[in-house]
Amino acid sequence: MVDSKTEYSLNSPPEDGITAVKFAPNSNQFLLASSWDCNVSLYDITNNNLRLKYAHSDPVLDCCFQDAVHSFSGGLDCTLKMFDFNTQTETVIGTHDQPIRAVEYSDEVNCILTGSWDTSVKMWDPRSSRCVGNYTQPDKVFTMSLCGEKFVVGTAGRKVCIWDLRNMGYIMQRRESSLKFQTRCIKCFPNKQGYVLSSIEGRAAVEYLDTGPEMQKMKYAFKCHRIKEDGIEKIYPVNAISFHQEYNTFATGGSDGYVNIWDGFNKKRLCQFHRYDTGITSLCFSYDGNVLAIACSYNYELETPPDPIPPNNIFIRHVTDQETKPK
């Protein structure tokens, strides 16, 4: 990989598989990364340095910012932590019975949501550090995404549940994934109309929240992250999705090592980046859409792992309108 003006790798990347990269709200400068080395790392991407990191007792599966100076994280230790960057102190907010797979902060209602393999989503109040709700899901939670006051949960068994944060007494909508294989990632459109869902089997689907027949006619699925080699089509998991907040276009990252940018409304691919050394495990556009963080880690899905295992890297790419704006 050659560092260039448009793309460079971060110094001091995590030492084991990267599970999530998240930009700070309203900032192009600070990036959070969680990883299998049991750490959450805060990077200053402008100066390309690791500002600080804090540890869990086991691998960390997800993280997010609350604001510029607080983060949340959870993982295999079943514990939700809050970290204050200013004072460099951590607070244990609470726990699940099994590993925490997804962590999201909602500024609409000022709460943290955690999705776990214990088949529950819990809601936490960051001010009092207590659980204010526990909501049973159909199966193990694999992925979650916020859509304004609503949020979408993807579980094992290809189930999708849509909840309303203002009324958590019941599931607003129960759906089954339109893809035939296990759900890997769900991300909601910034315009709050719907979401994109990806699977382990080289496909993604564009779905709409409105259940009216006119909107449901617009939903579709498409193949991606497939490579023909020697006449054989190899199919790769689609691990990561991230939306451009302004254009409602989105990036997908797969275990094939490629990042694609899509215009979901016009059903076309806008561009494909060069191939990375190993699979893409997480993607995140900055709030203004000018920068894309790309986490690369080998995900142990091949029968015979590469030798040597490619290094873990986070690439920072300055993207252009030509790559991200609908044409």
Side-chain angles (χ1 to χ4, degrees), residues 67-84:
D67 51 36
V69 293
H70 295 95
S71 70
F72 297 101
S73 50
L76 295 188
D77 61 3
C78 313
T79 302
L80 174 65
K81 281 189 179 183
M82 178 169 80
F83 194 85
D84 183 319

Side-chain angles (χ1 to χ4, degrees), residues 35-71:
S35 50
W36 279 86
D37 63 7
C38 308
N39 289 311
V40 179
S41 306
L42 176 70
Y43 293 94
D44 175 341
I45 71 164
T46 310
N47 297 302
N48 195 354
N49 62 20
L50 173 65
R51 286 289 283 266
L52 58 84
K53 61 182 178 181
Y54 66 93
H56 281 248
S57 59
D58 287 297
V60 190
L61 299 182
D62 202 9
C63 61
C64 69
F65 282 94
Q66 176 185 9
D67 51 36
V69 293
H70 295 95
S71 70

